[in-house]
Amino acid sequence: MAERILSGSEVVLQALADQGVEVVFGYPGGAVLPLYDEIFKQNRIRHVLVRHEQAAVHAAEGYARSTGKVGVVLVTSGPGATNAVTGLTDALMDSIPVVCLTGQVPTHLIGNDAFQEADTTGITRPCTKHNYLVKNPDKLARTMHEAFHVASSGRPGPVVIDLPKDILVGKAPYLEPGQVQHRTYNPVVKGERSQIEEAMEMLASAKKPILYCGGGVINSGTQACKLLTEFTRMIGAPITLTLMGLGAYPASDKQYLGMVGMHGTYESNMSMHDCDVMVAIGARFDDRVTGNLDFFAPNSQKIQIDIDQSSINKNVPVDIGIVGDVGHVLEDMIKIWKAKQYKIEANALDSWWKEIEGWRSKRCLSYKQSKDVIKPQHVIRSIHAATRDRKTYITTDVGQHQMWAAQHFGFEHPYEWMTSGGLGTMGYGMPAALGVQVAHPDATVVCFTGDASIMMNIQECATMTQYRLPIKTVILNNRYMGMVRQWQQLLHGSRYSESYSETLPDFVKLSEAFGFTGLTCDKPADLDDAIKKMLEIDGPVILDVAVDDKENCYPMIPSGKPHNEMLLAQDTSGDEAIDSDEGMVLV
Amino acid sequence: MKETEISKHTISVLVDNESGVLARVIGLFSGRGYNIESLTVAEVDANAHQSRITVVTSGTPMVIEQIKAQLSRLVPVHKVSDLTLAGPSVERELALVKVIASGEKRVESLRIADIFKARAVDATNDSFVYEIIGSPEKIDAFIKLMEPLGLSEISRTGVAAISRGTLTM
Ligand SMILES: Cc1ncc(C[n+]2csc(CCOP(=O)(O)OP(=O)(O)O)c2C)c(N)n1
Ligand SMILES: [Mg+2]
């Protein structure tokens, strides 16, 4: 096909359209005015105006994580780009495909400390999967398409394209997506057959197997999640999921042990500790999962499947490391398992499950209900119960409420759980919910947040109102930075330094000021009604729930401790301290 | 090799010669706390716009594996090769060594240069600049000997390396 000569801005918009982009989350400014002009002139691509560039990236993450597509961001140069950095880092840590277009000063001014100039490619190099500065109009179209390919393939991640203003204004040739082939970047998707065979043989000989699965399964797609379920049921082994993996396997299934890690379930962590063969699928042995590495699953052989070679043998040496897309590898695993008629020895598996049932019977997530004060866990469970029969997406902020949501909201399907795992970014929840609701206008989107986190991107209330996004924001209001308070209690002699939320706004008035409904609830008896009312309202709602300010998040593996030294709620009096200097230096 | 034993590796990286690629490689090393003992870079194929980066680094076997995996996943990287593991290789470095001295020390420096096959590429009545090519160890040894003889400035290129025989990257 003959090249078409367009303006740079037209090339960008055309490329977005050809990449199937429906929506861009952005915020204008001088350097990107030509792009905004182009957006104004067309109606194929929708622009959602956020109120802070960090929120644009989180919204794109929410969109991406809940659809499996690439999220797209558009921000201006200088402060626009630097404001996006937290979101980009968040997307990098959690492997979320995002393409972020940043404006830049004209090429001839680059390096001159021009107005709103920032070294965007320099600043974002360590927080993106890849980034580009387009200095040559001939490369514009190719770069756009390549960015989508890089963001979405292999281990997904954020990609920045820095666009000098003269490139946007000047002429540039347009090239269709299919005409682009990458010379160096070709991620492996198919796993090495002989390794998979070896792995299945190892697994078949296990007496205490466990599957430990993470966000990589969800990134691989819904088909991969189906295959995981098929495989797990076929072999009869217990399965645990990481924070990022929730939803990859149905939470209600009896083979599911719950979440693994610092605030994971007792049965998951004990099974991880005592297993003899561990299969890590799309999970990266994060320190929040492993606890003290010296005591991590000490008697196990380990198999790891990951699309990213660098995730294998990074923290934990494994016996078999398979590089490949989880979906492809699971397909092969199922074929081989069937062909070889493998079966984990029934007696062994039986007594393994008996052991696990023993741990399960501790009911580690139980909490004491009270007539006077609302328990935060109960709020999560009540909302889970109230939304069971509708398509529901959950986002969270960061803190105790996040962990309670992860523990108590049962996720049955992938794509329904959006949280900031790797970076732990307070302020993620509401903007991520924006992106989810934009992608799924008819679904129920609930953002569980804390009294401190909500303040970090509170300006997005205006975006909710503008686009009539009926997000239900539930504040588990303990009037503390609860997670900080918990650590201070356990590790710093209950010296609650700066963790009390001294001057919180009146969230009802605040909601009304932004143009939507605010509700409060402070009595256990009123909770169900408040939830019902919230869900019935056809618009955004903030529900401010006053919860027990003393409640700690258990179970907990204190930093620096092995899996089998978890603290359980029932073993704690409420004012215990962990005697560990080692734990104090860890995060 | 023991899992905790630290060893030195020479790693060659073939990259697209595009802006920022060196910053990516260096940023990876500093950001993840890996060592760089030496790093050289130059274009090796002008038509294909490819450069070769040679990094000498050290770490436990697991860290070395990580370094290679991390390098490989950088988008503009074509190929990563661990010359230390790939078999025998040739490693060469060039150094310019300035010695300011007179009398017996000056003569002695010339004699040592001769033994090391170092050339004097600049000379004044009070100084020499020696050019020496060899393994980093040979250059280290030469510099050590020059120390008492008026050694006053050193410029080293860092290591260029290639595997022996028919093996290519
Ligand atoms: C941007 C950012 N700053 C600081 C932190 C550290 N931090 C982690 S949890 C937390 C407290 C969160 O408080 P709140 O939102 O009220 O949630 P709670 O733990 O009370 O449920 C803080 C300050 C963080 N994760 N992110
Ligand atoms: Mg709080």
Side-chain angles (χ1 to χ4, degrees):
Chain A
M1 212 183 86
E3 277 183 355
R4 277 190 293 152
I5 303 293
L6 307 171
S7 76
S9 296
E10 285 169 337
V11 166
V12 171
L13 267 282
Q14 185 64 49
L16 292 178
D18 286 351
Q19 288 293 339
V21 175
E22 292 158 351
V23 57
V24 172
F25 301 90
Y27 205 93
V32 285
L33 285 182
L35 274 173
Y36 274 86
D37 209 25
E38 214 48 56
I39 286 172
F40 187 84
K41 291 185 209 154
Q42 55 87 51
N43 54 16
R44 273 187 302 184
I45 291 166
R46 180 176 177 206
H47 181 271
V48 172
L49 177 71
V50 293
R51 300 303 195 267
H52 187 293
E53 290 86 350
Q54 180 193 350
V57 187
H58 293 325
E61 288 184 90
Y63 179 91
R65 192 78 179 154
S66 67
T67 59
K69 296 190 215 164
V70 177
V72 182
V73 177
L74 169 57
V75 299
T76 193
S77 67
T82 56
N83 269 351
V85 165
T86 300
L88 294 169
T89 311
D90 193 88
L92 183 73
M93 293 289 269
D94 285 345
S95 309
I96 312 293
V98 166
V99 168
C100 176
L101 309 175
T102 56
Q104 184 53 277
V105 301
T107 41
H108 70 274
L109 286 180
I110 290 178
N112 281 346
D113 299 326
F115 177 63
Q116 294 196 327
E117 178 183 357
D119 175 7
T120 300
T121 45
I123 291 169
T124 61
R125 200 170 287 127
C127 65
T128 52
K129 180 173 173 184
H130 194 52
N131 63 15
Y132 304 87
L133 168 61
V134 181
K135 281 177 157 174
N136 176 351
D138 292 339
K139 293 202 174 147
L140 179 57
R142 186 200 147 86
T143 304
M144 287 292 300
H145 298 315
E146 193 178 299
F148 277 83
H149 175 57
V150 170
S152 59
S153 60
R155 177 175 177 178
V159 175
V160 161
I161 311 178
D162 204 20
L163 298 164
K165 196 170 184 181
D166 53 326
I167 298 289
L168 295 177
V169 174
K171 295 282 168 215
Y174 187 68
L175 222 86
E176 313 263 313
Q179 296 166 254
V180 176
Q181 240 281 321
H182 204 275
R183 290 182 301 161
T184 53
Y185 176 78
N186 292 302
V188 176
V189 291
K190 207 87 183 112
E192 185 65 41
R193 177 87 185 188
S194 61
Q195 278 187 307
I196 303 175
E197 280 172 359
E198 207 186 321
M200 289 307 93
E201 197 181 329
M202 184 184 279
L203 180 59
S205 72
K207 296 197 159 43
K208 299 176 168 197
I210 189 163
L211 303 178
Y212 145 55
C213 308
V217 184
I218 294 178
N219 272 333
S220 183
T222 42
Q223 179 60 16
C225 297
K226 280 203 195 98
L227 291 169
L228 176 66
T229 306
E230 184 186 338
F231 182 72
T232 307
R233 295 207 172 126
M234 194 168 84
I235 67 169
I239 177 170
T240 178
L241 298 172
T242 68
L243 180 70
M244 293 307 294
L246 298 181
Y249 188 86
S252 59
D253 192 276
K254 59 183 192 310
Q255 280 172 259
Y256 179 58
L257 305 185
M259 186 169 76
V260 64
M262 184 174 274
H263 292 292
T265 61
Y266 186 65
E267 50 271 37
S268 275
N269 288 320
M270 290 303 284
S271 307
M272 287 286 273
H273 186 270
D274 282 8
C275 73
D276 68 348
V277 175
M278 175 187 298
V279 190
I281 309 179
R284 61 184 175 88
F285 295 94
D286 178 80
D287 56 84
R288 280 293 178 277
V289 162
T290 61
N292 190 329
L293 282 176
D294 294 340
F295 305 102
F296 177 68
N299 304 313
S300 66
Q301 288 183 298
K302 298 176 195 74
I303 298 161
Q304 187 182 1
I305 303 156
D306 204 290
I307 194 144
D308 178 4
Q309 165 97 59
S310 76
S311 280
I312 293 174
N313 285 327
K314 183 172 64 181
N315 311 325
V316 173
V318 296
D319 300 274
I320 303 175
I322 301 167
V323 181
D325 177 64
V326 164
H328 281 85
V329 177
L330 274 167
E331 213 177 305
D332 287 346
M333 283 162 65
I334 291 170
K335 273 191 206 138
I336 293 167
W337 191 271
K338 280 185 180 156
K340 300 249 174 170
Q341 298 183 325
Y342 280 140
K343 194 169 178 314
I344 296 170
E345 198 212 310
N347 281 340
L349 198 56
D350 229 41
S351 49
W352 179 223
W353 272 113
K354 285 217 177 73
E355 224 176 318
I356 292 171
E357 290 310 329
W359 294 321
R360 254 186 185 158
S361 67
K362 287 249 186 192
R363 303 176 45 82
C364 68
L365 294 178
S366 56
Y367 52 94
K368 281 198 203 76
Q369 277 285 31
S370 144
K371 280 207 180 64
D372 312 315
V373 51
I374 300 175
K375 291 290 175 174
Q377 302 93 322
H378 185 60
V379 181
I380 310 277
R381 287 190 171 258
S382 303
I383 291 178
H384 183 221
T387 55
R388 232 178 254 269
D389 52 357
R390 22 166 123 198
K391 185 74 179 160
T392 305
Y393 294 85
I394 302 295
T395 75
T396 75
D397 266 301
V398 173
Q400 292 179 319
H401 64 273
Q402 175 189 31
M403 292 301 120
W404 283 318
Q407 292 173 336
H408 294 275
F409 203 100
F411 294 95
E412 296 294 309
H413 310 285
Y415 294 169
E416 292 175 0
W417 164 245
M418 269 52 61
T419 198
S420 170
L423 195 62
T425 312
M426 289 169 70
Y428 170 88
M430 188 186 281
L434 294 176
V436 176
Q437 189 82 74
V438 164
H440 310 277
D442 300 325
T444 301
V445 180
V446 179
C447 165
F448 287 115
T449 181
D451 45 286
S453 293
I454 185 70
M455 299 304 287
M456 282 217 184
N457 267 318
I458 191 77
Q459 77 287 343
E460 296 311 313
C461 286
T463 315
M464 287 202 298
T465 306
Q466 179 178 345
Y467 297 93
R468 297 180 221 279
L469 300 170
I471 295 161
K472 314 304 177 201
T473 302
V474 180
I475 306 175
L476 299 190
N477 191 341
N478 49 15
R479 289 159 309 279
Y480 274 104
M481 297 174 193
M483 193 56 96
V484 173
R485 190 201 53 72
Q486 176 168 347
W487 280 53
Q488 288 173 331
Q489 181 191 335
L490 297 177
L491 290 158
H492 294 271
S494 297
R495 290 178 294 279
Y496 299 137
S497 179
E498 304 294 325
S499 55
Y500 183 64
S501 291
E502 190 71 53
T503 50
L504 286 174
D506 176 333
F507 287 106
V508 173
K509 283 190 185 148
L510 180 135
S511 306
E512 284 163 3
F514 276 109
F516 54 84
T517 312
L519 303 172
T520 56
C521 181
D522 58 7
K523 290 191 191 57
D526 299 341
L527 182 64
D528 283 338
D529 281 347
I531 291 170
K532 188 157 179 279
K533 193 163 171 202
M534 169 183 85
L535 292 173
E536 276 167 7
I537 291 171
D538 179 29
V541 181
I542 289 183
L543 171 58
D544 179 15
V545 188
V547 298
D548 189 350
D549 63 354
K550 302 262 171 7
E551 193 71 20
N552 279 343
C553 188
Y554 292 116
M556 176 179 185
I557 307 174
S559 276
K561 296 282 183 183
H563 276 165
N564 59 352
E565 290 183 33
M566 282 201 101
L567 287 178
L568 294 176
Q570 54 262 52
D571 303 341
T572 58
S573 58
D575 51 16
E576 68 287 343
I578 300 167
D579 189 20
S580 157
D581 289 342
E582 200 187 340
M584 195 131 75
V585 300
L586 297 169
V587 284
Chain B
M1 186 182 300
K2 283 243 305 288
E3 279 304 316
T4 50
E5 213 165 279
I6 291 179
S7 64
K8 198 154 141 176
H9 284 244
T10 303
I11 296 170
S12 277
V13 192
L14 215 53
V15 298
D16 267 349
N17 187 13
E18 60 182 39
S19 84
V21 64
L22 186 60
R24 270 179 226 289
V25 171
I26 293 173
L28 192 155
F29 276 78
S30 62
R32 292 187 182 266
Y34 307 140
N35 274 326
I36 297 183
E37 291 187 10
S38 148
L39 185 143
T40 63
V41 57
E43 191 166 73
V44 290
D45 186 338
N47 289 328
H49 294 290
Q50 282 184 11
S51 292
R52 181 170 174 136
I53 299 175
T54 306
V55 200
V56 181
T57 184
S58 58
T60 62
M62 217 160 132
V63 167
I64 298 291
E65 277 311 308
Q66 258 301 296
I67 291 174
K68 289 185 281 189
Q70 293 287 352
L71 284 168
S72 304
R73 73 181 188 147
L74 294 177
V75 170
V77 167
H78 283 263
K79 210 161 186 252
V80 177
S81 163
D82 186 339
L83 295 180
T84 306
L85 290 188
S89 61
V90 190
E91 294 193 1
R92 286 294 177 272
E93 185 176 1
L94 182 149
L96 297 171
V97 179
K98 184 174 284 184
V99 176
I100 302 176
S102 56
E104 185 47 35
K105 283 186 174 175
R106 182 172 161 83
V107 181
E108 178 64 8
S109 82
L110 262 179
R111 266 199 291 270
I112 290 170
D114 193 42
I115 298 167
F116 277 78
K117 299 209 173 65
R119 288 198 304 145
V121 290
D122 176 71
T124 69
N125 285 335
D126 307 308
S127 69
F128 285 119
V129 173
Y130 294 112
E131 173 202 271
I132 175 164
I133 298 172
S135 67
E137 293 73 28
K138 174 177 165 181
I139 293 174
D140 288 345
F142 179 73
I143 288 169
K144 191 139 190 18
L145 288 172
M146 287 296 156
E147 251 164 36
L149 304 178
L151 175 74
S152 37
E153 198 174 334
I154 307 163
S155 176
R156 297 174 71 151
T157 57
V159 174
I162 204 160
S163 52
R164 290 182 186 271
T166 52
L167 197 71
T168 59
M169 246 189 109

